[in-house]
Amino acid sequence: GQNIDQPTEMTATEGAIVQINCTYQTSGFNGLFWYQQHAGEAPTFLSYNVLDGLEEKGRFSSFLSRSKGYSYLLLKELQMKDSASYLCAVRNSGNTPLVFGKGTRLSVIA
Amino acid sequence: GAVVSQHPSWVICKSGTSVKIECRSLDFQATTMFWYRQFPKQSLMLMATSNEGSKATYEQGVEKDKFLINHASLTLSTLTVTSAHPEDSSFYICSARGALGNTIYFGEGSWLTVV
């Protein structure tokens, strides 16, 4: 079976750093995605990891450890507009759809 | 970068009628597109996988005769909700794999309200 776990909600302060964790159990792993979704809107792509290590893209970084079935999304210098849901999704081998976690609702407060 | 466009963004229809949602890949060919639905404060739920030139593959519990999927070209997939009921009111989102194969992009989503 497949299982993806991430915290349901998190709160962080403007200007701070927050780390959103994601653990997964899946077969035929072929990449892990992070998406940002604002209320009422479609998800937007943030990052893709298929090899172990850290991928940095501006204020956002994503880390993957395949042996541990673990990833995190790191958001630096938090801004109010970063308040959104963050979805962890895993792709298996072949042209298969993404399997999504339930998402983490991040609230950025002043 | 690759763009996936969905239309309409919002639609209201009467119970019993049908409504069609289009998903287009604008600058790449998508042999496979995926249709999701999302209820408020819930995650995306895969409905079906749309394959160009062949029948869609539906997830368990999704009625294929109610949610008709047509992927007639490499850039267009359509989802038709037939005989819509209020419980079909939801946010419907399509996605497609980008040309480089690594990134999966989403359409803007379509809000369906059945009254």
Side-chain angles (χ1 to χ4, degrees):
Chain A
Q2 299 179 107
N3 193 39
I4 300 176
D5 287 316
Q6 52 182 132
T8 304
E9 294 188 24
M10 297 182 72
T11 301
T13 306
E14 191 176 16
I17 299 173
V18 69
Q19 177 174 312
I20 303 174
N21 296 322
C22 172
T23 58
Y24 64 90
Q25 297 168 331
T26 188
S27 57
F29 176 82
N30 194 26
L32 185 142
F33 295 79
W34 283 96
Y35 289 87
Q36 180 191 61
Q37 186 178 25
H38 285 101
E41 299 180 10
T44 55
F45 171 77
L46 290 179
S47 67
Y48 169 72
N49 294 69
V50 67
L51 300 176
D52 290 349
L54 186 68
E55 295 278 344
E56 297 186 77
K57 192 184 295 184
R59 295 190 298 116
F60 292 58
S61 302
S62 57
F63 171 82
L64 175 67
S65 169
R66 290 172 295 170
S67 62
K68 296 182 179 178
Y70 168 69
S71 173
Y72 68 71
L73 179 69
L74 193 71
L75 292 77
K76 304 176 185 176
E77 301 170 17
L78 279 173
Q79 301 175 11
M80 300 300 284
K81 67 178 182 178
D82 296 330
S83 294
S85 285
Y86 291 85
L87 305 174
C88 172
V90 172
R91 191 175 82 194
N92 293 319
S93 55
N95 201 17
T96 53
L98 297 179
V99 179
F100 283 90
K102 295 187 176 179
T104 299
R105 278 196 302 277
L106 173 66
S107 299
V108 180
I109 58 176
Chain B
V3 177
V4 176
S5 178
Q6 231 177 295
H7 177 81
S9 299
W10 300 83
V11 58
I12 300 174
C13 70
K14 293 183 178 180
S15 289
T17 62
S18 297
V19 62
K20 180 186 289 187
I21 301 170
E22 295 185 348
C23 179
R24 294 181 185 273
S25 54
L26 297 185
D27 58 0
F28 66 98
Q29 293 181 334
T31 55
T32 302
M33 291 184 177
F34 306 103
W35 286 96
Y36 295 84
R37 67 189 293 180
Q38 186 177 35
F39 292 105
K41 297 187 177 181
Q42 295 186 23
S43 189
L44 297 166
M45 293 176 53
L46 180 68
M47 297 177 66
T49 300
S50 170
N51 300 297
E52 188 270 335
S54 65
K55 292 182 179 180
T57 304
Y58 290 82
E59 295 300 298
Q60 192 172 8
V62 178
E63 300 175 60
K64 62 180 181 180
D65 294 329
K66 179 172 182 62
F67 298 98
L68 301 179
I69 292 173
N70 187 343
H71 195 156
S73 77
L74 287 171
T75 59
L76 174 65
S77 175
T78 61
L79 168 68
T80 302
V81 183
T82 63
S83 187
H85 290 124
E87 55 263 34
D88 297 326
S89 299
S90 184
F91 189 46
Y92 292 86
I93 311 173
C94 70
S95 71
R97 183 190 300 268
L100 294 179
N102 290 336
T103 304
I104 296 179
Y105 295 94
F106 286 87
E108 303 93 332
S110 300
W111 280 102
L112 170 64
T113 301
V114 183
V115 298

